[in-house]
Amino acid sequence: MVSSARKLELVGKALDRLSPLETACTLCPRDCRTDRTKGSGGICHTGSLAAVSHALLHFGEEPVISGAAGSGTIFFTGCNLKCLFCQNYQLSWQLEGHTVTDRELATMMLGLREKGAHNINFVSPSHIVLPILRALRIALAEGLDIPLVWNSNGYDSVEVVRELEGIIDVYLPDLKYRSPELSKRHSAAPDYFDKASEAVREMSLQQPALDLGPGGTARKGLVVRHLILPGAVEDTLELLDWIGENLSPFIGLSLMSQYHPCFKAPAEIQRSVSPEEYRRAAGKAAALGLDRLVLQPEPFGADEHLVPDFKKDSPFRWK
Ligand code: SF4
């Protein structure tokens, strides 16, 4: 892992380069060009400061992320992608959470470390990159020394990801869709694959090998997540082909069967993924021969405990 002192230097440089983008925001591929110093006018509905719903130890991430002690997870409010079927719609669409200062965000990170978290896991960080970096400037100086996890929807700006080199230890992006028609229909982002594939390729260049510590949690690396959508397994297979052809073979891949129709999911995805669909995808994923493949076990499909309720103090049933 890169030392905290070196990370501090890199955070300063990243802030110098990225902060000017805030006044005509191009911090993600949406390119809203809104002035976030004057309020929250962009698609992410976020101004200069972060808003946070929960900061907790998460035991439901992949074993290499949660480990035995839990992942120190910070759930940010708002999202730059906003999928119609989002299971975290209370955060992404309904903006559950409250605004925090950079100091408060840093204190959350340090508090999770104190609780024994294996890492700090930033959930939906793409539109929060500046508050995260400003808070890291405080937290790293005050002893934050555990791996930092970038847990994004994949719709990241490649320019931003380049600035995160040496700061982020573990990339945990989604790769949601291959087809522009699907990404347009479900996320109003026809360029999703073009942008996400560019960003994830950069993540793979920075972190080409998953490196696990003694307890089996990731110290650095890349784990790509893909949620199979019902009726869209052909898209999944194409995406898996792309992963096999374009990313390092030493990354992790998490293939998820947990899709459950939430929020405004369109009619054609108002069901769970079938066992047949999941097995086709899992067979293809296994054939890629990646370093680490995480498969969700049967029973397939809706597993209610995986759908959190962020209106509660403890959004997950296991905690
Ligand atoms: S970060 Fe937010 S305001 Fe900036 S381009 Fe993306 S969606 Fe728009």
Side-chain angles (χ1 to χ4, degrees):
M1 223 177 95
V2 177
S3 72
S4 297
R6 176 67 182 140
K7 280 191 181 183
L8 265 175
E9 260 179 59
L10 293 170
V11 164
K13 286 183 183 157
L15 278 169
D16 287 347
R17 292 191 193 112
L18 295 179
S19 296
L21 303 186
E22 189 180 29
T23 51
C25 189
T26 53
L27 286 165
C28 91
R30 292 288 190 195
D31 277 351
C32 299
R33 296 181 190 264
T34 185
D35 184 350
R36 289 178 54 182
T37 63
K38 296 202 169 123
S40 51
I43 285 181
C44 62
H45 288 287
T46 306
S48 273
L49 295 176
V52 170
S53 169
H54 287 73
L56 48 77
L57 289 176
H58 196 315
F59 296 90
E61 302 281 43
E62 288 80 357
V64 296
I65 304 296
S66 280
S71 172
T73 306
I74 300 177
F75 290 93
F76 291 111
T77 302
C79 180
N80 65 326
L81 191 58
K82 299 169 99 166
C83 307
L84 292 176
F85 55 82
C86 181
Q87 74 167 19
N88 291 356
Y89 64 93
Q90 292 165 321
L91 310 183
S92 53
W93 287 90
Q94 296 175 346
L95 307 178
E96 181 75 25
H98 61 281
T99 302
V100 294
T101 63
D102 300 336
R103 170 77 254 181
E104 287 168 332
L105 184 53
T107 300
M108 283 177 192
M109 298 178 197
L110 292 164
L112 288 166
R113 179 189 176 279
E114 281 302 299
K115 287 183 179 167
H118 290 295
N119 46 51
I120 300 298
N121 179 356
F122 303 116
V123 178
S124 291
S126 309
H127 59 300
I128 307 287
V129 60
L130 293 179
I132 288 172
L133 290 170
R134 293 192 305 258
L136 279 174
R137 197 163 46 184
I138 301 168
L140 289 166
E142 294 183 12
L144 187 71
D145 57 356
I146 52 179
L148 304 176
V149 180
W150 186 262
N151 182 345
S152 80
N153 54 40
Y155 200 47
D156 287 302
S157 149
V158 71
E159 289 79 16
V160 169
V161 175
R162 285 192 189 116
E163 296 301 332
L164 299 177
E165 182 165 14
I167 300 170
I168 295 298
D169 304 285
V170 181
Y171 286 107
L172 183 61
D174 294 335
L175 258 183
K176 290 176 180 288
Y177 320 98
R178 179 71 181 81
S179 133
E181 289 75 29
L182 270 185
S183 60
K184 182 178 178 194
R185 175 146 175 80
H186 298 317
S187 302
D191 64 349
Y192 175 85
F193 178 75
D194 288 347
K195 302 296 184 184
S197 60
E198 209 182 359
V200 172
R201 204 197 302 256
E202 170 64 24
M203 295 173 191
S204 175
L205 290 173
Q206 289 180 24
Q207 297 290 2
L210 190 59
D211 174 31
L212 304 183
T217 50
R219 288 189 287 219
K220 60 179 185 169
L222 165 63
V223 178
V224 174
R225 281 176 165 166
H226 176 68
L227 176 70
I228 305 163
L229 291 177
V233 73
E234 296 300 333
D235 196 65
T236 292
L237 299 180
E238 280 186 38
L239 205 49
L240 291 172
D241 274 336
W242 182 87
I243 289 171
E245 287 163 12
N246 291 278
L247 302 183
S248 159
F250 305 110
I251 65 165
L253 173 66
S254 176
L255 192 64
M256 300 188 291
S257 63
Q258 72 188 56
Y259 173 80
H260 176 71
C262 283
F263 197 52
K264 296 181 181 172
E268 72 271 22
I269 54 172
Q270 279 289 336
R271 67 169 173 87
S272 299
V273 170
S274 71
E276 291 71 26
E277 287 172 323
Y278 189 71
R279 285 176 197 146
R280 278 187 74 195
K284 176 91 174 185
L288 295 180
L290 296 171
D291 207 33
R292 184 162 293 256
L293 178 61
V294 180
L295 298 174
Q296 287 187 327
E298 293 192 52
F300 300 89
D303 187 348
E304 283 294 334
H305 83 273
L306 296 172
V307 179
D309 183 353
F310 289 99
K311 292 190 186 299
K312 295 182 175 166
D313 287 344
S314 300
F316 299 91
R317 286 193 198 163
W318 38 256
K319 255 316 186 185

PDB file of all heavy atoms in Angstrom, residues 248-260:
ATOM      1  N   SER A 248      -6.960  -6.959 -16.907  1.00  0.00           N
ATOM      2  CA  SER A 248      -5.946  -7.872 -16.386  1.00  0.00           C
ATOM      3  C   SER A 248      -6.594  -9.191 -15.940  1.00  0.00           C
ATOM      4  O   SER A 248      -7.687  -9.189 -15.363  1.00  0.00           O
ATOM      5  CB  SER A 248      -5.256  -7.213 -15.184  1.00  0.00           C
ATOM      6  OG  SER A 248      -4.639  -8.185 -14.387  1.00  0.00           O
ATOM      7  N   PRO A 249      -5.939 -10.334 -16.153  1.00  0.00           N
ATOM      8  CA  PRO A 249      -6.512 -11.607 -15.687  1.00  0.00           C
ATOM      9  C   PRO A 249      -6.413 -11.781 -14.176  1.00  0.00           C
ATOM     10  O   PRO A 249      -6.943 -12.745 -13.624  1.00  0.00           O
ATOM     11  CB  PRO A 249      -5.671 -12.662 -16.412  1.00  0.00           C
ATOM     12  CG  PRO A 249      -4.389 -11.977 -16.733  1.00  0.00           C
ATOM     13  CD  PRO A 249      -4.695 -10.517 -16.915  1.00  0.00           C
ATOM     14  N   PHE A 250      -5.763 -10.855 -13.510  1.00  0.00           N
ATOM     15  CA  PHE A 250      -5.538 -11.009 -12.063  1.00  0.00           C
ATOM     16  C   PHE A 250      -6.499 -10.169 -11.219  1.00  0.00           C
ATOM     17  O   PHE A 250      -6.257  -9.926 -10.041  1.00  0.00           O
ATOM     18  CB  PHE A 250      -4.083 -10.684 -11.719  1.00  0.00           C
ATOM     19  CG  PHE A 250      -3.118 -11.498 -12.524  1.00  0.00           C
ATOM     20  CD1 PHE A 250      -2.330 -10.907 -13.503  1.00  0.00           C
ATOM     21  CD2 PHE A 250      -3.029 -12.863 -12.336  1.00  0.00           C
ATOM     22  CE1 PHE A 250      -1.471 -11.661 -14.268  1.00  0.00           C
ATOM     23  CE2 PHE A 250      -2.161 -13.635 -13.093  1.00  0.00           C
ATOM     24  CZ  PHE A 250      -1.376 -13.032 -14.068  1.00  0.00           C
ATOM     25  N   ILE A 251      -7.568  -9.708 -11.851  1.00  0.00           N
ATOM     26  CA  ILE A 251      -8.575  -8.945 -11.109  1.00  0.00           C
ATOM     27  C   ILE A 251      -9.597  -9.912 -10.498  1.00  0.00           C
ATOM     28  O   ILE A 251      -9.573 -11.118 -10.763  1.00  0.00           O
ATOM     29  CB  ILE A 251      -9.303  -7.936 -12.025  1.00  0.00           C
ATOM     30  CG1 ILE A 251     -10.110  -8.674 -13.103  1.00  0.00           C
ATOM     31  CG2 ILE A 251      -8.316  -6.970 -12.645  1.00  0.00           C
ATOM     32  CD1 ILE A 251     -11.135  -7.817 -13.808  1.00  0.00           C
ATOM     33  N   GLY A 252     -10.494  -9.358  -9.703  1.00  0.00           N
ATOM     34  CA  GLY A 252     -11.632 -10.135  -9.217  1.00  0.00           C
ATOM     35  C   GLY A 252     -12.879  -9.765 -10.014  1.00  0.00           C
ATOM     36  O   GLY A 252     -12.987  -8.664 -10.560  1.00  0.00           O
ATOM     37  N   LEU A 253     -13.799 -10.702 -10.095  1.00  0.00           N
ATOM     38  CA  LEU A 253     -15.090 -10.446 -10.749  1.00  0.00           C
ATOM     39  C   LEU A 253     -16.187 -10.952  -9.829  1.00  0.00           C
ATOM     40  O   LEU A 253     -16.140 -12.103  -9.373  1.00  0.00           O
ATOM     41  CB  LEU A 253     -15.157 -11.175 -12.099  1.00  0.00           C
ATOM     42  CG  LEU A 253     -16.513 -11.139 -12.807  1.00  0.00           C
ATOM     43  CD1 LEU A 253     -16.888  -9.718 -13.233  1.00  0.00           C
ATOM     44  CD2 LEU A 253     -16.507 -12.060 -14.031  1.00  0.00           C
ATOM     45  N   SER A 254     -17.136 -10.093  -9.549  1.00  0.00           N
ATOM     46  CA  SER A 254     -18.267 -10.464  -8.697  1.00  0.00           C
ATOM     47  C   SER A 254     -19.523 -10.470  -9.563  1.00  0.00           C
ATOM     48  O   SER A 254     -19.957  -9.427 -10.054  1.00  0.00           O
ATOM     49  CB  SER A 254     -18.397  -9.442  -7.561  1.00  0.00           C
ATOM     50  OG  SER A 254     -19.521  -9.723  -6.771  1.00  0.00           O
ATOM     51  N   LEU A 255     -20.058 -11.649  -9.763  1.00  0.00           N
ATOM     52  CA  LEU A 255     -21.233 -11.809 -10.628  1.00  0.00           C
ATOM     53  C   LEU A 255     -22.458 -11.964  -9.729  1.00  0.00           C
ATOM     54  O   LEU A 255     -22.562 -12.932  -8.977  1.00  0.00           O
ATOM     55  CB  LEU A 255     -21.036 -13.045 -11.499  1.00  0.00           C
ATOM     56  CG  LEU A 255     -21.995 -13.217 -12.653  1.00  0.00           C
ATOM     57  CD1 LEU A 255     -21.858 -12.092 -13.678  1.00  0.00           C
ATOM     58  CD2 LEU A 255     -21.741 -14.556 -13.341  1.00  0.00           C
ATOM     59  N   MET A 256     -23.371 -11.008  -9.832  1.00  0.00           N
ATOM     60  CA  MET A 256     -24.447 -10.934  -8.841  1.00  0.00           C
ATOM     61  C   MET A 256     -25.802 -11.364  -9.415  1.00  0.00           C
ATOM     62  O   MET A 256     -26.211 -10.916 -10.495  1.00  0.00           O
ATOM     63  CB  MET A 256     -24.534  -9.499  -8.310  1.00  0.00           C
ATOM     64  CG  MET A 256     -23.225  -9.074  -7.641  1.00  0.00           C
ATOM     65  SD  MET A 256     -23.344  -7.492  -6.796  1.00  0.00           S
ATOM     66  CE  MET A 256     -23.502  -6.389  -8.153  1.00  0.00           C
ATOM     67  N   SER A 257     -26.463 -12.195  -8.639  1.00  0.00           N
ATOM     68  CA  SER A 257     -27.780 -12.708  -9.031  1.00  0.00           C
ATOM     69  C   SER A 257     -28.903 -12.034  -8.249  1.00  0.00           C
ATOM     70  O   SER A 257     -30.055 -12.399  -8.387  1.00  0.00           O
ATOM     71  CB  SER A 257     -27.842 -14.211  -8.752  1.00  0.00           C
ATOM     72  OG  SER A 257     -27.709 -14.443  -7.360  1.00  0.00           O
ATOM     73  N   GLN A 258     -28.559 -11.046  -7.435  1.00  0.00           N
ATOM     74  CA  GLN A 258     -29.499 -10.544  -6.428  1.00  0.00           C
ATOM     75  C   GLN A 258     -30.516  -9.550  -6.953  1.00  0.00           C
ATOM     76  O   GLN A 258     -31.283  -8.988  -6.171  1.00  0.00           O
ATOM     77  CB  GLN A 258     -28.714  -9.878  -5.289  1.00  0.00           C
ATOM     78  CG  GLN A 258     -28.101  -8.532  -5.696  1.00  0.00           C
ATOM     79  CD  GLN A 258     -27.177  -7.972  -4.633  1.00  0.00           C
ATOM     80  OE1 GLN A 258     -26.233  -8.622  -4.211  1.00  0.00           O
ATOM     81  NE2 GLN A 258     -27.457  -6.754  -4.191  1.00  0.00           N
ATOM     82  N   TYR A 259     -30.559  -9.332  -8.280  1.00  0.00           N
ATOM     83  CA  TYR A 259     -31.487  -8.318  -8.799  1.00  0.00           C
ATOM     84  C   TYR A 259     -32.900  -8.538  -8.248  1.00  0.00           C
ATOM     85  O   TYR A 259     -33.428  -9.651  -8.252  1.00  0.00           O
ATOM     86  CB  TYR A 259     -31.534  -8.345 -10.334  1.00  0.00           C
ATOM     87  CG  TYR A 259     -32.610  -7.415 -10.854  1.00  0.00           C
ATOM     88  CD1 TYR A 259     -32.386  -6.048 -10.932  1.00  0.00           C
ATOM     89  CD2 TYR A 259     -33.882  -7.900 -11.169  1.00  0.00           C
ATOM     90  CE1 TYR A 259     -33.390  -5.184 -11.328  1.00  0.00           C
ATOM     91  CE2 TYR A 259     -34.893  -7.043 -11.569  1.00  0.00           C
ATOM     92  CZ  TYR A 259     -34.631  -5.689 -11.652  1.00  0.00           C
ATOM     93  OH  TYR A 259     -35.645  -4.829 -12.029  1.00  0.00           O
ATOM     94  N   HIS A 260     -33.476  -7.451  -7.794  1.00  0.00           N
ATOM     95  CA  HIS A 260     -34.846  -7.479  -7.272  1.00  0.00           C
ATOM     96  C   HIS A 260     -35.523  -6.213  -7.777  1.00  0.00           C
ATOM     97  O   HIS A 260     -34.958  -5.124  -7.643  1.00  0.00           O
ATOM     98  CB  HIS A 260     -34.796  -7.475  -5.739  1.00  0.00           C
ATOM     99  CG  HIS A 260     -36.137  -7.419  -5.104  1.00  0.00           C
ATOM    100  ND1 HIS A 260     -37.011  -8.486  -5.126  1.00  0.00           N
ATOM    101  CD2 HIS A 260     -36.769  -6.425  -4.422  1.00  0.00           C
ATOM    102  CE1 HIS A 260     -38.121  -8.135  -4.480  1.00  0.00           C
ATOM    103  NE2 HIS A 260     -37.995  -6.902  -4.049  1.00  0.00           N
TER     104      HIS A 260
END
